[in-house]
């Protein structure tokens, strides 16, 4: 027999034997123990509200929990979608609920809505990541950890009566593997009954044809299977929110009053508010919490751990070892680090070479420029020298002429001073003639 077969036989657990008890032992109180432990520990529930600005998110939250949560209105001019969580401590009877309402502020207000879903997805992932980090800690304290994972996303659909906007479809598609989505038609009092009926059918058709998975109320628990099945057929709920109280008959009810009549929030003929409250809070709150942990968080955790290199063993291979995975991952990381280092070094060397070449080229250009200037300078110098020689020659010529003229002038002067004496003599000789000396300067 093969060793693995023997191992399997020795590892196989024996079938437990059924025995009857002789009397009351007391472990039938286990469910009660569980309840009292949970009650003393308290619960947390986190709701994400996604819908365009002013669609009635805050009003619906106030109406659902019958209180006034402090909220500020969004401005319609947000540059991008921003997630705003607010946590409240609520108590009903002896049950404490830590409720976090996360508002997707500015959703649908940007001109370019391509990335509107991204901050929402990132926020949901960040809460999963926080939980995973806590789980992976050596000293973890999951018992009193404030779980901020989103348990439900109420997606507020604008009551257009037409069809879903592409933003709605894209966002819901991106969110459906990360969170339980309950779509609701907001401000349902602004749409007529027959239009609402057609609108609901259209929305469900579009969700199905686009493969968007919305949260289905569970039908595996007998106690709630029937009501949940009925309610699944009513999705998406068409709701009206109001914090005003109006007198109807002799009772004060929450309603919206119009000149033509009163829309009662809790009247099932007027809207599906009661159905939403039943399904969300009174029947399926625990299932939403559980689905978040066992389905959405599990998926996130699996992908994340696989990304980190962990994997489960298949039937035949060795059991999964944290140590080995860690070692393998470490080696992979080190070789990646080395590869990156080598890449950077090579890049640096290339850069230095490039700079060196550039510098050499610059030097050559400068040298050429210098040589060119030198040639120009020599040419100029030669021309100046020629000019100087020319001038020198001219000066010499001038000086010669000047000397000649001076000589002529002095001759002329000498001649003039001798003239009266000679005049008399000449008069005597030639009978008297006058002459004019003309001097021509060359
Ligand atoms: P931001 O937080 O600013 O995005 O708005 P919001 O989505 O929280 O809307 P909010 O609850 O502040 O309501 C905006 C306006 O819509 C208010 O004037 C509400 O009275 C009105 N409103 C809220 N719910 C309903 C509803 O069901 N029907 C009608 N007709 N009006 C509603
Ligand atoms: Mg609000």
């Amino acid at each position: 027999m093969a060793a693995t077969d023997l191992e399997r036989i020795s590892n196989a657990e024996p079938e437990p034997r059924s025995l009857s008890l002789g009397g009351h032992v007391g472990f039938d109180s286990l469910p009660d123990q569980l309840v009292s432990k949970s009650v003393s520990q308290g619960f947390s529930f986190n709701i994400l509200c996604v819908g365009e600005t002013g669609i009635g998110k805050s009003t619906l939250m106030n109406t659902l929990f019958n209180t006034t949560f402090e909220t500020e209105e969004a401005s319609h001019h947000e540059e991008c979608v921003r997630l705003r969580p607010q946590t409240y401590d609520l108590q009903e009877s002896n049950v404490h609920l830590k409720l976090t309402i996360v508002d997707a502020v500015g959703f649908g207000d940007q001109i370019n809505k391509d990335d509107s879903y991204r901050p929402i997805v990132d926020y949901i992932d960040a809460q999963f990541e926080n939980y995973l980090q806590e789980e992976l800690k050596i000293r973890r304290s999951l018992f009193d950890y404030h779980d901020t994972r989103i348990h439900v996303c109420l997606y507020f659909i604008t009551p257009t009566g037409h069809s879903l906007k592409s933003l709605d479809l894209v966002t819901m598609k991106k969110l459906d593997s990360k969170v339980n989505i309950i779509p609701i038609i907001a401000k349902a009092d602004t749409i007529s009954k027959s239009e609402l009926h057609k609108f609901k059918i259209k929305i469900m058709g579009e969700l199905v044809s686009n493969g968007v998975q919305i949260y289905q109320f569970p039908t595996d628990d007998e106690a709630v299977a029937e009501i949940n099945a009925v309610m699944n057929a009513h999705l998406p709920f068409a709701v009206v929110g109001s914090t005003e109280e109006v007198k109807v008959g002799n009772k004060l009810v929450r309603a919206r009053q119009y000149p033509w009549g009163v829309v009662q929030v809790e009247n099932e003929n007027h809207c599906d508010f009661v159905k939403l409250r039943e399904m969300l809070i009174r029947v399926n709150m625990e299932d939403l919490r559980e689905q978040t942990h066992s389905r959405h968080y599990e998926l996130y955790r699996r992908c994340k751990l696989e990304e980190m290199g962990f994997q489960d063993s298949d039937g035949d291979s060795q059991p999964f070892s944290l140590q080995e995975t860690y070692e393998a991952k470490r080696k992979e990381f080190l070789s990646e680090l080395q590869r990156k280092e080598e890449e950077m070094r090579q890049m640096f060397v290339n850069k230095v070479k490039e700079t060196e070449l550039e510098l050499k080229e610059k030097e050559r250009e400068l040298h050429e420029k210098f040589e060119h200037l030198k040639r120009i300078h020599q040419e100029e110098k030669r021309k100046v020298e020629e000019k100087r020689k020319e001038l020198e020659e001219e000066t010499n010529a001038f000086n010669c002429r000047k000397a000649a003229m001076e000589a002529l002038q002095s001759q002329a002067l000498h001649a003039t001073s001798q003239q009266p004496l000679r005049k008399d003599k000449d008069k005597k000789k030639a009978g008297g003639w006058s002459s004019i000396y003309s001097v021509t300067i060359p």
Side-chain angles (χ1 to χ4, degrees), residues 142-311:
L142 288 170
F143 179 75
D144 53 1
Y145 174 78
H146 178 207
D147 187 1
T148 55
R149 292 172 299 174
I150 300 294
H151 299 118
V152 65
C153 164
L154 292 181
Y155 195 94
F156 290 69
I157 298 167
T158 314
T160 58
H162 290 272
S163 53
L164 283 173
K165 296 177 184 172
S166 55
L167 174 67
D168 297 329
L169 283 170
V170 169
T171 309
M172 281 197 257
K173 186 82 198 128
K174 293 284 176 190
L175 296 183
D176 70 356
S177 60
K178 297 187 175 287
V179 67
N180 301 309
I181 301 175
I182 300 183
I184 52 181
I185 301 170
K187 298 190 179 179
D189 53 332
T190 60
I191 187 169
S192 77
K193 209 164 181 175
S194 59
E195 277 175 338
L196 187 64
H197 181 66
K198 283 188 215 147
F199 191 36
K200 276 190 176 191
I201 295 172
K202 189 130 197 213
I203 289 171
M204 288 315 281
E206 281 180 334
L207 290 178
V208 171
S209 62
N210 286 282
V212 178
Q213 295 273 320
I214 58 167
Y215 174 70
Q216 291 293 303
F217 304 119
T219 49
D220 42 8
D221 177 358
E222 264 178 40
V224 289
E226 199 179 327
I227 174 103
N228 277 350
V230 173
M231 290 298 158
N232 277 331
H234 272 92
L235 284 170
F237 295 137
V239 295
V240 173
S242 174
T243 41
E244 271 175 50
E245 296 209 311
V246 177
K247 198 156 191 190
V248 175
N250 52 4
K251 263 188 11 189
L252 268 180
V253 293
R254 264 174 315 148
R256 299 189 75 85
Q257 193 159 28
Y258 292 105
W260 55 88
V262 172
V263 180
Q264 296 170 37
V265 169
E266 294 183 50
N267 184 330
E268 290 205 52
N269 288 322
H270 292 188
C271 73
D272 298 332
F273 172 81
V274 171
K275 294 188 180 74
L276 173 67
R277 188 178 59 194
E278 273 312 288
M279 290 295 97
L280 178 71
I281 302 176
R282 300 187 181 176
V283 180
N284 296 307
M285 198 183 242
E286 183 48 28
D287 186 70
L288 285 161
R289 282 158 38 88
E290 210 219 282
Q291 289 283 321
T292 301
H293 185 72
S294 60
R295 202 166 130 227
H296 302 300
Y297 171 65
E298 207 54 35
L299 178 65
Y300 177 85
R301 182 181 167 278
R302 201 182 72 207
C303 295
K304 199 75 193 185
L305 292 183
E306 278 174 1
E307 213 175 87
M308 285 160 77
F310 297 106
Q311 54 191 344

Side-chain angles (χ1 to χ4, degrees), residues 52-59 71-74 84 103 105:
E52 59 190 51
T53 305
I55 192 71
K57 302 182 287 290
S58 305
T59 311
T71 46
E72 46 184 275
E73 283 178 17
R84 184 179 61 199
D103 227 331
V105 182

